[in-house]
Amino acid sequence: MTEVNPKASPEESPNERPSKISKTLQEEGDSSEEEEEKEAVDKSMKPGLQRYLVAVEYIGTRFCGSQQQLNQRTVVGVLQEAFHKFIGQPVTICLSSRTDAGVHALSNVCHVDVERISKRKPGEVLPPHEPAVVRKAVNHFLQKEGDIMVTDVRSVPAHFHARFKAQERTYFYRLLIGPELLSTFEKDRAWHVSEELDLVSMQEACKVLVGHHDFSSFRASGCQAKSPFRTLEELSVLEVFSTPHFPSITEREQNSSNGEGPHSFHNKCKTGLPTVSISNGIMAGGSNSGTDLGFGIRRRHRCYVITARSRSFLYHQVRLLVGVLKSVGTGDLTVSDVERILNARSITAASPMAPACGLYLGHVKYELL
């Protein structure tokens, strides 16, 4: 969010802002035409249909976005095909949040209406499937895809809409910092920044951007949202372990010498201690970057995760925010510059946006009974 030229999507051009973007590619849960679309929600659904709320995770690298596109591999297209194979008839998937090519999802959510028809007696409508059955069956037909999976299913009322009932959306953005080449395991999973980043300055810049603002400087030129105002409930930067993480010999020896039990790392995380201090010496670009780790053992990159949380976002807003924060981290911009960019209310004011590969839709929040 393929084989058919996935780089044609605007999400794949971090240094350019698309001049014209299809409405079907609108990203990050924009709600520009929500009131008009609410009127189109079918509240008198056919008897026998069961609406399911479905959570799905996927690696966005091989998807040409989430929304259905002709002759392109998309999240909606793959899900609709899997449901079709499961129930024997076509369905329509409605996503809570749209993602572009290369953008990943730890948990995107959709709703789908399913009518269970008897295979022995065609035309006979049977009681709806249990959510666990739906999850297992759809995952069976998704297993060959290799990059998408249903993680949760729940039965919901016929009027429940995955997009309009969403109360909050959380996005994560991963940056891997250090001069070392990016690991094969991290390819297309994060933005590799070779320069050191000033974490404190980035955190100060976040404070300028949190709250209710006109985010015109942080929207793509093709954004179709009627209003540029959004309320950013959270914007933060934290340093975390890069993943996958395997303990070094130094960490294992420290753990043994301190007499710590098997849950020591979990306990440190719970106490809020800076877990990165455990292995700073073997991070790429760390203070002990000249230390010989042994043949075949590579240095880890520092990993910064930017979290953005809001009810809805403008098109490319998160990636433009990340682009500015990264520029603050490298010293190309100051915190005062961020305030100036925000107040400029111009789509040409911000730094080049961050690439799609580091962006993850983390969570969509609902009020469920």
Side-chain angles (χ1 to χ4, degrees):
M1 222 176 254
T2 313
E3 289 67 22
V4 185
N5 191 17
K7 294 188 178 181
S9 166
E11 277 287 17
E12 292 287 283
S13 304
N15 295 319
E16 296 180 11
R17 302 194 195 164
S19 58
K20 186 176 182 181
I21 302 173
S22 168
K23 182 178 177 181
T24 60
L25 286 178
Q26 289 287 336
E27 180 199 13
E28 297 166 1
D30 80 90
S31 57
S32 59
E33 299 181 354
E34 179 172 326
E35 293 304 319
E36 290 87 342
E37 293 189 36
K38 276 184 178 179
E39 297 177 1
V41 176
D42 183 11
K43 295 184 179 179
S44 56
M45 197 161 56
K46 178 182 175 183
L49 284 177
Q50 174 62 57
R51 177 161 291 187
Y52 295 100
L53 196 64
V54 180
V56 58
E57 65 179 17
Y58 50 86
I59 299 169
T61 308
R62 295 194 303 119
F63 287 103
C64 289
S66 60
Q67 296 300 100
Q68 186 90 359
Q69 299 178 58
L70 185 64
N71 298 324
Q72 301 284 355
R73 183 175 185 261
T74 66
V75 174
V76 165
V78 168
L79 285 174
Q80 288 182 165
E81 183 179 357
F83 269 94
H84 192 174
K85 291 178 179 177
F86 167 40
I87 65 173
Q89 54 187 325
V91 300
T92 299
I93 296 288
C94 182
L95 279 174
S96 68
S97 307
R98 301 162 181 170
T99 57
D100 276 358
V103 176
H104 317 292
L106 304 177
S107 181
N108 201 346
V109 180
C110 65
H111 73 250
V112 59
D113 298 327
V114 173
E115 184 178 38
R116 185 184 178 190
I117 303 296
S118 172
K119 294 181 179 179
R120 295 182 179 179
K121 298 179 180 179
E124 179 182 355
V125 179
L126 301 176
H129 293 287
E130 290 296 319
V133 173
V134 175
R135 176 183 175 183
K136 183 176 181 179
V138 175
N139 277 333
H140 170 75
F141 292 109
L142 288 174
Q143 60 185 341
K144 290 184 179 180
E145 299 292 337
D147 54 5
I148 183 169
M149 177 182 180
V150 171
T151 60
D152 205 355
V153 178
R154 181 173 295 197
S155 299
V156 292
H159 60 80
F160 194 99
H161 198 285
R163 180 180 175 191
F164 303 138
K165 289 291 186 180
Q167 296 181 330
E168 198 172 73
R169 295 166 173 86
T170 301
Y171 281 86
F172 300 112
Y173 196 99
R174 296 182 69 234
L175 301 102
L176 292 178
I177 300 101
E180 298 284 328
L181 292 175
L182 203 61
S183 167
T184 302
F185 295 103
E186 293 286 7
K187 181 176 171 57
D188 298 321
R189 304 290 199 278
W191 184 8
H192 180 208
V193 179
S194 58
E195 310 103 305
E196 279 295 302
L197 298 181
D198 184 341
L199 181 60
V200 174
S201 294
M202 294 172 71
Q203 291 170 335
E204 287 299 312
C206 287
K207 297 176 183 178
V208 174
L209 297 164
V210 169
H212 185 72
H213 301 290
D214 180 339
F215 282 103
S216 293
S217 297
F218 297 92
R219 66 191 298 192
S221 58
C223 180
Q224 298 176 1
K226 291 183 177 180
S227 171
F229 284 90
R230 292 292 185 271
T231 301
L232 197 54
E233 300 289 350
E234 177 186 357
L235 185 65
S236 61
V237 190
L238 290 175
E239 184 172 6
V240 301
F241 271 129
S242 59
T243 54
H245 173 77
F246 304 102
S248 67
I249 186 170
T250 303
E251 291 169 344
R252 300 195 301 271
E253 289 175 348
Q254 286 178 345
N255 191 70
S256 298
S257 63
N258 293 336
E260 296 175 334
H263 304 295
S264 59
F265 178 76
H266 174 69
N267 292 333
K268 287 178 182 177
C269 290
K270 288 173 64 177
T271 60
L273 294 176
T275 56
V276 291
S277 63
I278 299 173
S279 58
N280 273 351
I282 53 175
M283 293 287 189
S287 58
N288 297 327
S289 58
T291 303
D292 182 12
L293 301 178
F295 180 76
I297 301 177
R298 62 178 297 153
R299 300 184 187 283
R300 302 192 198 110
H301 292 82
R302 292 186 181 278
C303 182
Y304 290 178
V305 173
I306 296 173
T307 302
R309 181 167 53 87
S310 178
R311 181 179 179 274
S312 64
F313 294 87
L314 300 168
Y315 185 47
H316 284 167
Q317 181 181 351
V318 175
R319 289 169 59 193
L320 287 165
L321 289 168
V322 172
V324 165
L325 292 177
K326 181 261 186 183
S327 294
V328 171
T330 58
D332 294 326
L333 292 176
T334 65
V335 175
S336 297
D337 289 329
V338 175
E339 191 168 2
R340 173 184 55 78
I341 291 170
L342 178 65
N343 293 332
R345 300 181 181 88
S346 169
I347 59 175
T348 62
S351 302
M353 69 180 179
C357 59
L359 184 60
Y360 295 73
L361 173 56
H363 182 242
V364 184
K365 180 182 177 181
Y366 296 94
E367 184 175 344
L368 297 172
L369 300 178

